[in-house]
Amino acid sequence: MMTFIGTANPGFSPYAMEELRRRIPGTSVSGEAAGETFRFTSGEREPAELLKELRRDEPVFLRHLFPLEAEYPVTADPAATVEALTAYARALEERVPGRKVAVQIRKTQESPFPFSSAEARDIVAEVVRELGGESVVQDADQIVSVYASGKSILFGCSDPKDNLSDWPGGAVRFRREEGLLSRAAFKLLEAERAFKLPLDRFNHALDLGAAPGGWSSVLLDRGLKVTAVDPAEMDPSLYKNPRFRHLKQNASDVSFPPGTFDLLVCDMSWDPHRTCRLVSALSPAMTAGASGIITLKLMYRKPLQTLRELMEEYADHFDIRKVKQLFHNREEVTMWVRRKP
Ligand SMILES: C[S@@+](CC[C@H](N)C(=O)[O-])C[C@H]1O[C@@H](n2cnc3c(N)ncnc32)[C@H](O)[C@@H]1O
């Protein structure tokens, strides 16, 4: 049996833990840092099989995981901490020679861990180099994960594909690109990666709940034609683009000829069941097989139940490809669907 350290968005670890409890027979699950980080065991499942299954069918709320291979008490003492970091790193002597190794350090606010992430990373990376590994930030063969909580320093080393995300704790960071009109744009950029769905493969997007225009601007940047629907004002810079048009209307009042769009995106701040009815009513305006990227607001107290209901409702018109709480999602998750033929 193997123990893993899992991470979810702040406040969502109870749901991530519940999802895993339902999926892994015999697992034991316990909190590590309130609301965000927790332990779970592989229970009756063979660890490698479990990892394969989690990759193939990703849980919605589990953002990141790593195998727990060593645990030391955390202290504020720099010398003891250097000892713990180097002791774990040295134990990797058979796993790092000739490999590209990234070291990812995270610590909770309440942890007495005495180093910054960069300082701790340098300590571990030096040992990796001494052992004949190459210390890298991206495109690693192995990721050494170090997580300092209030009680312990937790260590593990894994193939990045077994972490669900190669970002520390699954916290995907984008450079503040020129021309991004809202923070919401990061959600669409992250969805593009998480769903492995290059946006430039589409031609004409319908953007529901589009203001102020972060998603529209990303789609225009990718070369798409964009029809934005929102009763609110859009950023004036968008109107300069001849591929952009704005219908200043409620999304329930618009209609389009059949098969107009090969992509529908929807980030409306609205009741998710009503959003589903509205998106379904507009589905004939999508080509058969067109994709939809839709934010589902989790405004009720039982997110897992809400999601189950929504999946059933969307399944009438769409094949559900993936549902994921992205790092940039707050009280919501993002779904990728394809219109049924
Ligand atoms: C979170 S914002 C969207 C942000 C946008 N994706 C961006 O990147 O800038 C939600 C928007 O949904 C719009 N909205 C809410 N209900 C709507 C409806 N029934 N029809 C159209 N837009 C709606 C709001 O006016 C608001 O501008």
Side-chain angles (χ1 to χ4, degrees):
M1 188 153 71
M2 180 160 256
T3 299
F4 297 96
I5 303 300
T7 302
N9 279 3
F12 282 89
S13 68
Y15 308 113
M17 289 156 83
E18 183 55 29
E19 268 191 303
L20 292 167
R21 247 185 238 119
R22 289 178 191 184
R23 270 169 74 149
I24 312 171
T27 187
S28 125
V29 179
S30 61
E32 185 67 33
E36 218 171 335
T37 313
F38 55 92
R39 298 171 187 227
F40 65 99
T41 67
S42 52
E44 294 164 21
R45 302 292 307 279
E46 208 273 304
E49 279 304 306
L50 175 64
L51 288 170
K52 213 153 112 193
E53 191 213 300
L54 293 176
R55 277 202 313 268
R56 196 182 57 234
D57 182 14
E58 270 187 45
V60 177
F61 292 102
L62 179 66
R63 204 174 73 199
H64 182 270
L65 77 159
F66 70 86
L68 177 60
E69 295 179 338
E71 179 169 5
Y72 293 77
V74 70
T75 85
D77 175 11
T81 306
V82 170
E83 208 171 300
L85 292 169
T86 47
Y88 177 74
R90 284 194 202 293
L92 300 172
E93 62 189 343
E94 293 188 356
R95 292 158 75 185
V96 301
R99 318 290 298 276
K100 290 196 273 180
V101 181
V103 181
Q104 300 186 344
I105 314 273
R106 290 182 292 150
K107 57 176 187 170
T108 58
Q109 266 176 348
E110 70 272 16
S111 178
F113 191 76
F115 299 120
S116 70
S117 299
E119 287 166 340
R121 192 179 57 225
D122 288 347
I123 294 164
V124 178
E126 195 179 314
V127 179
V128 165
R129 283 192 293 270
E130 281 169 21
L131 294 173
E134 182 190 348
S135 164
V136 299
V137 177
Q138 278 177 334
D139 301 323
D141 306 316
Q142 294 284 299
I143 293 183
V144 176
S145 299
V146 181
Y147 182 80
S149 72
K151 295 174 292 193
S152 316
I153 317 178
L154 310 170
F155 293 92
C157 177
S158 43
D159 185 322
K161 70 178 186 324
D162 288 333
N163 294 19
L164 291 187
S165 165
D166 58 1
W167 291 80
V172 184
R173 309 277 178 191
F174 294 100
R175 259 181 294 125
R176 196 119 188 65
E177 285 176 32
E178 286 288 310
L180 276 192
L181 297 181
S182 67
R183 281 195 55 76
F186 290 128
K187 279 193 278 187
L188 187 59
L189 292 172
E190 191 183 346
E192 181 180 35
R193 284 194 193 193
F195 302 149
K196 297 187 180 62
L197 187 66
L199 296 171
D200 58 7
R201 75 155 77 135
F202 299 103
N203 293 305
H204 190 176
L206 174 62
D207 184 357
L208 302 174
W215 289 29
S216 285
S217 67
V218 168
L219 296 167
L220 290 168
D221 276 355
R222 297 281 194 277
L224 278 75
K225 207 167 131 185
V226 177
T227 299
V229 181
D230 200 305
E233 298 291 338
M234 302 291 295
D235 190 277
S237 64
L238 293 164
Y239 296 96
K240 290 184 206 145
N241 193 316
R243 285 181 279 109
F244 177 74
R245 74 168 164 155
H246 175 205
L247 305 177
K248 202 166 182 297
Q249 282 173 281
N250 190 304
S252 49
D253 297 334
V254 294
S255 62
F256 304 94
T260 306
F261 305 101
D262 58 353
L263 177 67
L264 177 149
V265 298
C266 175
D267 189 28
M268 272 179 358
S269 39
W270 212 26
D271 174 280
H273 299 285
R274 287 175 184 223
T275 301
C276 175
R277 286 200 286 280
L278 194 148
V279 167
S280 300
L282 285 169
S283 66
M286 299 167 73
T287 53
S291 278
I293 300 174
I294 302 162
T295 322
L296 308 177
K297 305 287 169 182
L298 299 174
M299 44 186 23
Y300 305 111
R301 259 186 294 149
K302 293 186 172 164
L304 293 177
Q305 190 182 323
T306 304
L307 279 182
R308 243 191 339 267
E309 291 164 5
L310 288 168
M311 293 311 96
E312 281 177 24
E313 293 163 24
Y314 272 97
D316 285 343
H317 295 85
F318 299 97
D319 288 323
I320 295 159
R321 304 306 298 257
K322 195 160 170 176
V323 184
K324 190 79 199 167
Q325 185 167 54
L326 304 173
F327 174 66
H328 289 94
N329 282 140
R330 295 292 169 246
E331 304 289 308
E332 59 190 21
V333 300
T334 303
M335 178 173 70
W336 168 32
V337 296
R338 307 224 9 220
R339 207 207 101 174
K340 282 184 175 168

